[in-house]
């Protein structure tokens, strides 16, 4: 009887909470447009006023994007980290606002603690992978690197035990809701931002082109939809139209080809970002791979009859850019649709009011996170091969007898393939 009454109390509490959440009125979105723009655009209709506000602030964000690219990879990584924290804050704040009246113990504290733990794990893996020589040189870092995963798991276990100890009888279901909320947010935000940084280390071109394609698609889909949109695309986003979706696709593919052509000619964009132990700084200097060397391609006969060209000179990376821009324009928007469904579920217009006319940071990066995963998978599947420098770094950390064993094995393998001659043949 006691367990049944407990279940009833818990059930009533959960159902009451859900009904209160459903019946809560949607928050009124205040006009967050800067006063100077409000005065300048006061004579325009709301439709055109929104168009100008979005346009001006979009140009400002693009200018900021160019500035951080100019400042180099270290600043880019810091910006990615800041964006990740802000996106996490926006999503967790929504959960807090929805359930704040129930005074869930330790909810926000545990959420930020788990963010710290997951970042420690992912960034620790990155430091070990890309700063291997530096880690091995410094004794404290070497110890932290050796036991990194154990330390990360221990930190997570502490948070897990804190959550269990914070459970309150009348809020069991709500607390598990929020536990899941936090972990799904970590999966969406932290994991993807970690992949963004991995893409950056492959070369800044793998960071800039995908992000620029998403930005281009977002802008061109809005422009085509604004001027030519007539046919609704999806109920989750009533303002999205087929005209904008299709126009954005073709514009993004052309933009991706042009941007890739320009960037492929500069070593600072195509070379992997590596850490120089002598200067204690990042370097992006290398001999460009075949992916970034101009090659001549034969044009199919059907297209030859139209344009009159038999061959075309282009970078192989431009072919890969077609895949990137296609994903950015056809699949990437589904990240935005997912975010729209999430916002409709909680009756909110935007994740936050950080950027006037655009909403929160998460509103601008909902498609970018999906794109980051695709780029990372694409590089691992079709681009990246074994890295000799990393193999040598790991080889040098082995014991002398292990190094000698690998040396003898490699020597025998090369002799069998005819690439080396044995000592007896030399005599």
């Amino acid at each position: 009887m006691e367990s049944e009454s407990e279940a009833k109390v818990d059930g009533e509490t959960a159902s009451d909470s859900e009904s209160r959440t459903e019946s809560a009125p949607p928050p009124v979105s205040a006009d967050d447009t800067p006063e100077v723009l409000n005065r300048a655009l006061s004579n325009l209709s709301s439709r055109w006023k929104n168009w100008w506000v979005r346009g001006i602030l979009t140009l400002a964000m693009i200018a900021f994007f160019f500035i951080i690219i100019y400042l180099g990879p270290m600043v880019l990584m810091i910006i990615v980290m800041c964006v990740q924290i802000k996106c996490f804050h926006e999503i967790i704040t929504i959960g807090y606002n929805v359930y704040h009246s129930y005074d869930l113990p330790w909810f926000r504290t545990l959420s930020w603690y788990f963010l710290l733990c997951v970042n420690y794990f992912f960034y620790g893996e990155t430091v070990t992978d890309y700063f291997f020589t530096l880690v091995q040189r410094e004794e404290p870092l070497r110890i932290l690197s050796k036991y990194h995963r154990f330390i990360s798991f221990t930190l997570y276990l502490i948070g897990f035990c804190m959550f269990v100890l914070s459970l309150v009888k009348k809020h069991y279901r709500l607390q598990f809701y929020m536990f899941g909320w936090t972990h799904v947010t970590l999966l969406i935000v932290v994991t993807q931002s970690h992949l963004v940084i991995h893409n950056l280390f492959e070369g800044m071109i793998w960071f800039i082109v995908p992000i620029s394609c998403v930005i281009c698609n977002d802008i061109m889909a809005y422009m085509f939809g604004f001027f030519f949109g007539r046919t609704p695309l999806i109920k989750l986003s009533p303002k999205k139209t087929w005209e904008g979706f299709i126009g954005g696709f073709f514009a993004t593919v052309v933009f991706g080809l042009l941007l890739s052509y320009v960037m492929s000619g500069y070593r600072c964009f195509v070379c992997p970002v590596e850490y120089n132990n002598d200067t204690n700084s990042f370097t992006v200097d290398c001999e460009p791979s075949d992916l970034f060397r101009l090659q001549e391609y034969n044009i199919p006969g059907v297209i030859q009859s139209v344009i009159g060209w038999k061959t075309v000179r282009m970078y192989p990376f431009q072919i890969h850019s077609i895949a990137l821009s296609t994903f950015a324009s056809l699949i990437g928007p589904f990240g935005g649709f997912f975010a729209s469904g999430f916002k409709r579920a909680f009756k909110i217009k935007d994740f936050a009011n950080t950027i006037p006319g655009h909403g929160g940071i998460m509103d601008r990066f909902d498609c970018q996170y999906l794109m980051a995963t695709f780029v990372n998978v694409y590089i691992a599947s079709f681009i990246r091969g074994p890295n000799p420098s990393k193999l040598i770094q790991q080889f040098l950390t082995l014991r002398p007898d292990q190094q000698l064993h690998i040396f003898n094995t490699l020597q025998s393998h090369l002799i069998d393939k005819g690439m080396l001659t044995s000592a007896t043949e030399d005599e």
Side-chain angles (χ1 to χ4, degrees), residues 327-398:
F327 185 91
S329 42
L330 298 185
I331 307 299
F334 281 84
F337 301 152
F338 177 86
S340 296
F342 179 88
K343 288 182 284 188
R344 283 179 172 272
F346 294 97
K347 300 179 181 180
I348 56 176
K349 183 178 182 293
D350 297 310
F351 283 94
N353 295 321
T354 309
I355 310 171
H358 292 268
I361 299 295
M362 190 64 196
D363 290 286
R364 293 298 91 213
F365 283 85
D366 46 13
C367 301
Q368 297 287 4
Y369 284 130
L370 198 60
M371 188 70 190
T373 305
F374 172 74
V375 174
N376 192 268
V377 172
Y378 190 88
I379 292 173
S381 302
F382 304 109
I383 305 298
R384 185 191 297 134
N387 190 325
S389 62
K390 290 184 180 179
L391 291 175
I392 292 174
Q393 288 174 354
Q394 294 176 348
F395 175 78
L396 294 176
T397 61
L398 300 175

Side-chain angles (χ1 to χ4, degrees), residues 110 113-114 116-121 144 147-162:
L110 283 174
Y113 177 80
F114 282 125
L116 178 66
C117 292
V118 175
N119 270 309
Y120 176 81
F121 171 74
L144 287 174
Y147 301 106
H148 171 68
R149 295 195 175 186
F150 181 79
I151 295 171
S152 301
F153 183 64
T154 302
L155 291 173
Y156 180 82
L157 280 181
I158 293 172
F160 180 81
C161 293
M162 289 171 63

Side-chain angles (χ1 to χ4, degrees), residues 184-198:
V184 171
T185 304
L186 291 171
L187 176 66
I188 293 173
V189 175
V190 182
T191 306
Q192 312 308 318
S193 63
H194 174 69
L195 296 180
V196 169
I197 291 178
H198 268 252

